[in-house]
Structures are given as structure tokens and as C-alpha cells.
Amino acid sequence: MRQSHQLPLVGLLLFSLIPSQLCEICEVSEENYIRLKPLLNTMNQSEYTRGTSSSVNVLLSLQLVGIQNQNLKQKLIQQIEYTVKRRLSQVSSGELALIILALGACRNPDENLIYDYHLIDKLENKFQAEIENMEAHNGNPLTNYYQLSLDVLALCLFNGTYSTTKVVNYFTPENKNYYFGSQFSVDTGAMAVLALTCVKRSLINGQVKTDESNLKNISIYIKSLVEKILSEKKENGLIGNTFSTGEAMQALFVSSDYYHENDWNCQQTLNAVLTEISQGAFSTPTAAAQVLPALMGKTFLDVNKDSSCVSAAGNFSNSTHEPVTVTAPGSQSSISVNYSVTINETYSANVTVPNGSVFLDVMEKAQKMNDTIFGFTMEERSWGPYITSVQGLWASNNDRTYWELLSGGIPLSQGVGSYVVHDGENLEVRWSKY
Ligand code: CBY
């Protein structure tokens, strides 16, 4: 073959070797924006009282998709500023990472707060504390791998310092922290793919130096995690469950080099999420905030793009509020459920609550009936109340123990504050290990 013929071939070969970094993105089309309205209503109409971590999720989401709701954004930023000033020491590493992502998203003026309050240094310290806890407690972080992934992501996007070798050591796909029991956590895997993709890109761009083997391993990890995520795809297109699908979509958008076109029907997944929205599934601000970016074709890796995130969706939140359709309880009648606490023994009671009550109402009623057996404590997390102890027995991240919620023996995919109970149901809180 003459040289002139070889050249295009060589070119083609080289081209196919360069990671394309192209993303396979499907997103809601403009004429369908109306179907996202329930998400915006949920975010707009929530009370963001001081210290609620849902405000961070909501701000990040609004910034990323370029929604110009200045009133709401101002309110959220004020709260975040209060948190940063008054109670940063109580904020977990992942929460701080989210604060940085939200404030720094899309070249907006609030970015300065990150530097005024030295938030990157503080995140480096919190990330370090997670690693130290893993070393002291059998590989268990202070929080969890979802948050460690957020930490790496924020440090990577905002030029913080982290050790690539440590990332490679800790983020192997076989690590137990990707699993709750034998169940792969899609949320966790998806967040790790986003973090590892960011790290990979900065290595390729030469922003961070490391040896070849780290880069190779990171690619292997991403591929393996993407396979695990895709293997959690359900018949209807959801990935994991309703609440993990948005994050799984983000991970799949940025990793299309690692799976075949036929392995994932993005449009089917998108339609499944739209159906869930129409059924009122995303009724808490955090649930709404976490799913929205993917539906508009955005990922957390867009946070530090050099442009402001304006989009066609810009003003559609400003239109008049539609009244929220609160599913009115059928009548004011009562229902009764069987409620039990399981440690080794099972303690049960029949509890009567008004129709339309949530799991937490049942627990409170039972506690009033018998404080020794049904007494419990909880704390407010971004997704709503989280049960921390029952009968004085406390959940512990170091021991990987928690109070699991079940109905009819099947784990629930909602927390105590949002799961609506039904007449005759068998509800249980069970002392479990993950
Ligand atoms: N976020 C976090 O740190 C949480 C990370 C997360 C992976 C999260 C899901 C995903 C997300 N997008 O935020 C997560 N859950 C974790 C890590 C955990 C563990 C918490 C302890 C730890 N090591 O940090 C643990 C104990 C395994 C856990 N979740 C328990 C539970 C149950 C809570 C019961 C209780 N005691 O109150 C529960 C209700 C499952 C059950 N049947 O018992 C549960 N989680 C659920 C349902 C969920 C989903 C919430 C969905 C909803 N609509 O309410 C979830 C989105 C989430 C929050 N957990 Co966890 C997963 C899902 O279903 N897709 C970062 C921080 C800054 O906000």
C-alpha cells in the first residue's frame, strides 16, 4: 500500500483510540417541559427551614438546569450561608461537597462564598477524616461511599487536593461499601462513576499527574461499575428504583464509551421516570431535585463548565403555580395496621391511625401506647426523618447497623416521613446490618 493510502487509515485508527468523551444524552423535549412541572412545584412549595440539607440539593438542581427563580435561589443561598457560618462542623463530608457544587455551579457570583469560607480546605479535612475512620473501623467510613464519591467529585471539579492513588485503592468495584447487604446500591455506584470520570478526565488533560496504572485502573473501575448499574435495569426501564434512576442516567450519560448502544434504551428510562412523575412519586424536595438534572440532559460534571447554565427551561418555572394535587385522604376514617419492632424477638401492636397517615405517624402512636417497647429517636436528613434508635438501640455506621423499614417483610423504598400506610398492613422496623 502506498503511503498516501495509509494516512487516512492511521488517522482513523488514532481517532478510534482517543476516548471520545461524547455523551449519549436523551432529554425531555421542550414541548414536554410541562411534564416536569410537578418537580418544580415540589421544590417551590417546600418550607426550607434552617439547617435542612434538602436546600442544598434543590439549589444545585436549579443551578444546573438553569432555572431563573431568583426568589427561591436567594432564600436557599441564605440558608446555606447560615449553615456554613454557624454549623459547618456538624455538616457531613458529602453535604459540604454538595454545598460547594451548588455554590460553584455554572460561574455564578455566589461562587465567592466557597473561597471566602475556605470550603475546599475544609472538605479536604472532612475527606481525610472519612479515610482515617475507614482505617480505624474495618473499612467503614464516617458516612458512606455515596458521600465519599461526592467528596472526590467536588475536590476534582474545584481543584482541591486528593490522592489519586488513594482513590484507586478505595474505589475498587468489589468494595463492600457499594453494597447494602448483597444489594448493589445504584445511587452509590452512579455517584462513584461521576467522581471517577472527573478524576479520569483531569488525568487525561494533564491537570493532575499520576502513573499510567492509576489511569488504567480507573477506566477498569468505571467499566465494571457501569456494568453493575446496567444489570439493575428493570423491565420498565427504571434503574435500581424510582429514586436512583436519575443518578444512574447521569452516570450513563458520561460513560457511553463503556457500554454498547444496545445495552441501554435511554428513551425508555426517560419515559419510565416521566410516568413516575405523573403518579406523584417525587413528592419530597430532595427526590425532585435529584431526578431533574438528568431529565434535562445535565450531569454533575457540567457544574464547572465555563458557561452559566442557561437553558430553554430558563423561565418556565416563573409561570403561575398550579395548585398541588394533594391526594385527599378518601375520608376522615381510621385504618389499623400491625406494627412490630424486631431485634431478636418481635414486639407487636395493633395501631389505629387516620387514613392517609405515614409510617412515622404509626411509630408515634405506638410510642404513646408503650414508650419502653416502641420508644424511638430520629434525625432530619435530606430525604426526611431517619430513624436513629428504637428501644434505646442506636444505629451505627462503624458497625454497619441500622433500623430497616419493611412492609409485609419487604424493605420499603421510602423513609418514615413519606411512606403512606394502608389498612391491614404489616409494618416492621427491624434491627439489621447492611
Ligand atoms: N446521602 C447519603 O448519605 C445517603 C446515601 C444513600 C445511598 C441514599 C439512599 C442515596 C441518595 N440518593 O441519597 C443511602 N440511602 C444510604 C447510604 C443509606 C445508609 C445510611 C447510613 C450510612 N452509612 O450513611 C443505610 C443505613 C443503608 C440506609 N440508607 C438506610 C435506609 C433506610 C432508612 C430507614 C431509617 N432508619 O429511617 C431506608 C428507608 C430503606 C429501608 N427499607 O429501611 C432507605 N435508606 C431508603 C428508602 C433510601 C432511599 C430514599 C428514597 C425516598 N424516597 O425516601 C434512597 C434515595 C436513600 C436516601 N435511602 Co438509604 C435510596 C433509594 O431508594 N434509591 C448524601 C447526603 C448529603 O444527603
Side-chain angles (χ1 to χ4, degrees):
M1 223 192 283
R2 286 209 323 266
Q3 206 168 6
S4 60
H5 283 131
Q6 279 172 353
L7 266 177
L9 266 181
V10 173
L12 196 70
L13 188 69
L14 275 178
F15 181 74
S16 64
L17 286 176
I18 298 171
S20 63
Q21 295 205 358
L22 281 177
C23 297
E24 293 295 328
I25 290 182
C26 67
E27 58 186 272
V28 175
S29 57
E30 251 175 81
E31 65 268 22
N32 270 327
Y33 279 169
I34 190 77
R35 300 185 68 181
L36 304 179
K37 200 79 195 173
L39 301 181
L40 293 166
N41 287 343
T42 303
M43 292 193 267
N44 279 327
Q45 289 162 4
S46 292
E47 294 293 325
Y48 298 95
T49 43
R50 269 180 184 175
T52 46
S53 35
S54 57
S55 27
V56 187
N57 284 285
V58 172
L59 182 64
L60 174 56
S61 184
L62 295 178
Q63 303 277 46
L64 258 184
V65 302
I67 283 175
Q68 314 293 328
N69 186 342
Q70 286 312 327
N71 280 345
L72 179 57
K73 277 192 194 171
Q74 244 9 77
K75 191 167 139 192
L76 296 171
I77 287 169
Q78 269 171 18
Q79 296 211 347
I80 293 170
E81 218 180 334
Y82 173 87
T83 302
V84 165
K85 276 192 199 146
R86 305 267 174 240
R87 44 175 291 271
L88 200 58
S89 61
Q90 296 157 41
V91 164
S92 68
S93 71
E95 247 176 283
L96 177 55
L98 279 175
I99 290 178
I100 295 174
L101 297 178
L103 292 175
C106 318
R107 304 277 159 250
N108 76 86
D110 306 305
E111 201 181 356
N112 292 331
L113 292 175
I114 299 178
Y115 306 100
D116 296 347
Y117 292 103
H118 308 285
L119 297 186
I120 310 285
D121 297 347
K122 295 198 168 125
L123 179 59
E124 286 167 2
N125 295 339
K126 285 190 193 275
F127 182 58
Q128 185 54 33
E130 296 274 12
I131 305 265
E132 279 163 19
N133 200 78
M134 296 216 306
E135 279 156 11
H137 295 277
N138 194 25
N140 303 331
L142 286 173
T143 61
N144 53 62
Y145 260 36
Y146 182 90
Q147 297 204 27
L148 261 74
S149 301
L150 281 171
D151 301 347
V152 171
L153 182 62
L155 290 174
C156 170
L157 290 173
F158 291 88
N159 302 319
T161 311
Y162 58 90
S163 147
T164 311
T165 306
K166 275 200 181 137
V167 170
V168 170
N169 285 342
Y170 286 114
F171 281 85
T172 49
E174 291 70 41
N175 190 297
K176 66 174 176 191
N177 289 297
Y178 288 112
Y179 292 83
F180 299 136
S182 56
Q183 182 62 47
F184 177 71
S185 161
V186 171
D187 313 65
T188 308
M191 204 47 79
V193 166
L194 291 168
L196 292 169
T197 304
C198 178
V199 173
K200 183 187 104 178
R201 288 182 184 176
S202 16
L203 293 176
I204 290 175
N205 300 339
Q207 283 159 288
V208 176
K209 299 264 172 292
T210 187
D211 51 74
E212 270 300 302
S213 71
N214 280 343
L215 182 57
K216 211 173 125 207
N217 278 325
I218 287 176
S219 286
I220 294 172
Y221 294 1
I222 296 175
K223 186 164 197 306
S224 162
L225 289 170
V226 165
E227 269 165 24
K228 288 176 200 274
I229 292 171
L230 283 172
S231 71
E232 294 296 329
K233 193 177 53 183
K234 308 292 177 240
E235 194 107 338
N236 63 359
L238 292 179
I239 306 172
N241 65 18
T242 308
F243 307 106
S244 52
T245 302
E247 286 170 343
M249 288 175 78
Q250 288 196 34
L252 295 171
F253 288 162
V254 303
S255 61
S256 53
D257 291 345
Y258 295 92
Y259 59 92
H260 195 266
E261 221 183 299
N262 301 331
D263 293 341
W264 181 42
N265 181 342
C266 177
Q267 200 58 49
Q268 187 208 11
T269 299
L270 185 67
N271 291 338
V273 175
L274 290 175
T275 306
E276 293 289 300
I277 295 178
S278 67
Q279 291 166 356
F282 300 94
S283 58
T284 63
T286 298
Q290 286 196 359
V291 77
L292 183 62
L295 302 179
M296 303 203 45
K298 299 284 183 186
T299 80
F300 286 178
L301 296 185
D302 297 326
V303 153
N304 73 344
K305 282 224 172 111
D306 277 326
S307 54
S308 57
C309 310
V310 273
S311 77
N315 292 319
F316 95 103
S317 63
N318 285 347
S319 53
T320 50
H321 282 175
E322 277 159 41
V324 249
T325 41
V326 189
T327 31
S331 63
Q332 273 307 43
S333 63
S334 297
I335 55 169
S336 77
V337 296
N338 186 50
Y339 171 62
S340 27
V341 169
T342 311
I343 304 175
N344 287 320
E345 280 172 69
T346 300
Y347 309 82
S348 298
N350 223 301
V351 181
T352 304
V353 287
N355 196 0
S357 296
V358 291
F359 202 128
L360 185 60
D361 299 322
V362 173
M363 293 182 72
E364 280 171 346
K365 184 80 187 284
Q367 175 167 251
K368 277 199 195 116
M369 289 158 54
N370 186 335
D371 190 42
T372 323
I373 291 181
F374 298 118
F376 69 95
T377 58
M378 61 181 182
E379 70 183 38
E380 206 47 52
R381 299 247 172 120
S382 55
W383 286 84
Y386 175 84
I387 303 302
T388 44
S389 80
V390 181
Q391 280 187 31
L393 185 56
W394 287 77
S396 151
N397 288 356
N398 284 342
D399 303 334
R400 288 171 71 83
T401 50
Y402 76 115
W403 284 100
E404 185 179 18
L405 313 180
L406 307 103
S407 166
I410 295 165
L412 296 178
S413 57
Q414 281 175 291
V416 286
S418 34
Y419 182 76
V420 178
V421 302
H422 314 282
D423 191 36
E425 207 170 358
N426 280 308
L427 299 168
E428 182 185 347
V429 292
R430 188 188 292 174
W431 180 242
S432 302
K433 273 198 111 140
Y434 57 87

